[in-house]
Amino acid sequence: MLWSLFKILLFVAVVVALAYGVQWLLSVSGEVLVSFAGQEYVLSPLVVVLGLVLGLIVLWLVFKLVGLLVSVLRFINGDETAISRHFERNRERKGYEALSDSLIALASGEAREAAAKARQAEKYLERPEVTDVVVAQAAEAAGERERAVEAYKRLVRHDRTRFVGVRGLMRSKLEEGDTDTAMKLAEKAFALKPRHVETQDTLLAMQARDHNWEGARRVLTAKLKSGALPKDVYKRREAVLSLADARARLAEGKTEEARAEALEANRLSPELVPAAVLAARMHVEAGDKRRATKAIKAAWAKLHHPDLAAAFAGIEPNETPQERIRRFGPLLKLDPDAPEARMLETELHLAAEDFPGARRALGRLPETHPTARSLSLMAAVERGEGASEAVVRGWLAKALGASRGPQWVCTNCGTVHGDWVPVCTSCEAFDTLDWTEPRRAEASVSALPTDVLPLLVDGPASEPGVPALREDHAPHDVTPLVAPEAQPASSREVHGTSTPASTTHATADGFDTLPAGDSPPAPQDETPTTAGTARM
């Protein structure tokens, strides 16, 4: 506002000054005598001033004409002139129009139109650091891979676009399957821009796939510093890398280094099941059973997993079944109604040949959440209590078509893994395995239908026309809990054997059969109670 007022006042002052100047010239008395070529001219002061102004204008025009003449001569000679700059501006305008049209077509999904407009922009502008980016992207969208690679190679030559070129070449090599070259390009791109999230993720995935745990840790730290990774996620993935490194060092025989990495993994992520199992194993080997117990309980409180139970059993491998039941008591009380806790308690009672206690522990789990394991446990309970082969075979028939229950499932592609691994074996994604039940229930034994059950049984029949169950065809992913000889005497008589009874106990590697001493008593007459009764 003040500046506008100032300009108005200045304009008024200039006009007033010119008016006073003209008035002064008109009022001045006197003449100007000009002698030229023998002639004398008498001029008034006003005419003289106007003549000087006109002379200056003519002189400016002369200079311009001379400059134009010089420009024409230089143009003919090949030098840059105003005329050439005019044509250059025209080409530049057409180039930027083609460039904008290419960007619009690229955003609209018209790949071929975008590629054609990008070529026009490249022809008019002659600025590869500007046009090659669009040319490469449009060529990629149109499927012209070779042209895109050439554009990316040109981008690498310029400092401003070097990262774009390296990243584009890296993606191209990944599509071609040349992972070795892609790895080198990813490392170069990471060195140029350590905070670039996509490059961090790509490099981390490739390093994890190649078991380059040290390199993956550097990238993971860079992600944390750049703010692209929350603190809790960082600790989880750092624990995964430490665990993977511990396994690798253990395979190389570097026990001390493996111990340090395993304990670090357990410290960073106590709920990571394989880290807790390995840390407990290291503590047991060092003679520190208290810390081993603490590691297992901390992980069990977050996730109920059979490997934790096996590791907990391995802390005291020589205890009797009754002692094991008492030692497992505090662990089971953390979440007694959890399916895994119920099945674990059932296995412990089966190992102790306490079949009514096993039935009470299992409760209604085979009905409320039927899985291959729970149904197989129910078959073992029925066999232990002296049920007929038809009843036992019926439960195993249900187990054949039942879900396997929770497994290590990749949340990225859905692949089921038998054991936990840091990198999915199918999609090669890092840290995507979760202990959960697959969306599609899988059969326990190769998805065999129940009508092929007679093919899995042989031996003497317990009833007329009914084949006896073969002991070696229980579902393969369910650990045999009670050996055939661990049945009550009445059941053993059906098979015509008098082998001493045996039972099972959990170890770090599973459940091993141990002698049980004297034969168990015959089944009790009373009907075992189901869920809701007190556990023995």
Side-chain angles (χ1 to χ4, degrees):
M1 184 69 182
L2 293 177
W3 176 244
S4 299
L5 179 61
F6 174 76
K7 289 189 292 183
I8 294 173
L9 294 176
L10 180 63
F11 175 76
V12 172
V14 171
V15 171
V16 171
L18 289 175
Y20 276 106
V22 172
Q23 185 180 3
W24 179 76
L25 289 174
L26 292 175
S27 62
V28 171
S29 59
E31 297 174 341
V32 177
L33 181 63
V34 178
S35 178
F36 179 76
Q39 296 290 331
E40 292 183 354
Y41 301 92
V42 179
L43 303 174
S44 63
L46 181 59
V47 174
V48 172
V49 172
L50 293 176
L52 291 174
V53 174
L54 183 60
L56 292 174
I57 294 174
V58 171
L59 184 62
W60 179 80
L61 291 175
V62 170
F63 278 115
K64 284 296 182 181
L65 290 174
V66 171
L68 179 61
L69 179 61
V70 172
S71 298
V72 172
L73 293 176
R74 292 178 61 185
F75 176 74
I76 296 174
N77 193 39
D79 295 339
E80 182 183 4
T81 61
I83 298 176
S84 64
R85 287 195 296 272
H86 169 74
F87 288 108
E88 287 178 359
R89 284 194 296 269
N90 189 36
R91 289 171 59 87
E92 189 178 63
R93 178 180 56 80
K94 292 181 179 180
Y96 280 116
E97 287 180 357
L99 185 65
S100 61
D101 291 341
S102 176
L103 291 172
I104 294 173
L106 191 62
S108 302
E110 301 173 354
R112 296 191 178 276
E113 178 69 15
K117 292 295 184 179
R119 286 193 290 270
Q120 290 183 10
E122 185 180 22
K123 175 183 176 182
Y124 284 126
L125 291 178
E126 296 181 355
R127 295 184 61 185
E129 71 277 8
V130 176
T131 58
D132 281 342
V133 177
V134 182
V135 169
Q137 292 182 352
E140 277 187 342
E144 302 174 0
R145 180 173 297 178
E146 294 182 359
R147 183 175 178 83
V149 170
E150 292 178 358
Y152 284 129
K153 289 181 178 179
R154 291 195 298 269
L155 288 171
V156 174
R157 302 170 189 169
H158 303 277
D159 293 338
R160 294 177 59 191
T161 58
R162 181 169 290 114
F163 173 78
V164 178
V166 172
R167 175 174 170 270
L169 293 175
M170 176 193 69
R171 294 170 57 186
S172 177
K173 292 299 180 182
L174 284 175
E175 292 178 0
E176 295 174 3
D178 188 358
T179 55
D180 294 336
T181 305
M183 171 72 79
K184 296 178 181 178
L185 290 169
E187 292 174 349
K188 179 65 175 178
F190 180 71
L192 292 173
K193 281 193 175 183
R195 301 174 68 88
H196 191 264
V197 177
E198 181 186 356
T199 302
Q200 292 173 345
D201 294 339
T202 303
L203 182 57
L204 179 62
M206 289 192 290
Q207 288 174 331
R209 183 204 62 207
D210 292 346
H211 296 179
N212 183 5
W213 311 122
E214 289 298 328
R217 282 180 172 179
R218 290 194 296 270
V219 177
L220 198 67
T221 303
K223 287 178 67 67
L224 178 66
K225 292 181 178 179
S226 63
L229 199 65
K231 183 69 174 180
D232 56 340
V233 178
Y234 166 78
K235 292 177 65 176
R236 157 77 184 194
R237 294 185 176 176
E238 180 70 16
V240 171
L241 292 175
S242 297
L243 175 60
D245 197 9
R247 288 182 170 184
R249 294 179 187 274
L250 197 62
E252 297 172 359
K254 302 177 180 178
T255 308
E256 291 301 323
E257 297 178 3
R259 172 184 170 84
E261 293 293 345
L263 297 183
E264 177 66 11
N266 184 240
R267 184 190 68 83
L268 291 171
S269 183
E271 69 276 6
L272 185 59
V273 170
V277 171
L278 186 56
R281 171 185 166 187
M282 294 296 178
H283 286 310
V284 171
E285 291 179 357
D288 194 346
K289 296 181 179 181
R290 184 183 62 83
R291 289 190 177 181
T293 302
K294 182 178 179 182
I296 296 300
K297 287 185 176 180
W300 182 270
K302 298 291 185 180
L303 177 64
H304 309 316
H305 195 281
D307 290 350
L308 295 174
F312 194 70
I315 297 176
E316 296 289 349
N318 298 321
E319 62 189 349
T320 64
Q322 289 75 17
E323 291 174 342
R324 178 152 296 171
I325 291 176
R326 287 193 296 270
R327 190 168 64 87
F328 269 77
L331 186 70
L332 296 173
K333 288 180 180 179
L334 294 177
D335 191 2
D337 294 328
E340 181 61 35
R342 285 184 172 275
M343 289 187 288
L344 174 58
E345 187 176 0
T346 302
E347 290 172 345
L348 294 174
H349 284 285
L350 286 174
E353 297 188 3
D354 179 11
F355 302 112
R359 182 184 290 273
R360 288 193 298 271
L362 193 59
R364 298 179 57 84
L365 190 62
E367 301 174 8
T368 59
H369 189 197
T371 62
R373 185 178 169 199
S374 63
L375 294 171
S376 297
L377 288 174
M378 192 63 198
V381 171
E382 294 287 1
R383 175 183 292 174
E385 292 185 335
S388 66
E389 289 297 323
V391 174
V392 176
R393 190 167 56 252
W395 285 109
L396 289 180
K398 293 180 180 180
L400 286 172
S403 166
R404 294 191 182 189
Q407 299 176 80
W408 289 115
V409 182
C410 176
T411 57
N412 187 48
C413 66
T415 302
V416 178
H417 296 71
D419 296 313
W420 180 90
V421 288
V423 180
C424 176
T425 57
S426 178
C427 65
E428 297 184 341
F430 174 68
D431 188 26
T432 56
L433 265 63
D434 192 16
W435 182 253
T436 183
E437 193 162 351
R439 287 189 296 270
R440 294 183 178 182
E442 299 182 9
S444 300
V445 185
S446 305
L448 292 177
T450 56
D451 58 357
V452 301
L453 182 60
L455 301 179
L456 302 179
V457 295
D458 59 8
S462 59
E463 298 178 7
V466 180
L469 181 68
R470 285 179 55 184
E471 312 297 347
D472 58 344
H473 283 94
H476 69 83
D477 63 340
V478 178
T479 305
L481 301 174
V482 181
E485 299 82 1
Q487 316 170 46
S490 59
S491 178
R492 292 202 301 274
E493 291 174 359
V494 172
H495 293 277
T497 178
S498 59
T499 306
S502 63
T503 184
T504 58
H505 77 289
T507 66
D509 297 324
F511 286 83
D512 299 330
T513 302
L514 289 178
D518 298 334
S519 300
Q524 302 175 2
D525 296 335
E526 63 271 18
T527 303
T529 57
T530 58
T533 60
R535 290 181 174 80
M536 296 292 292

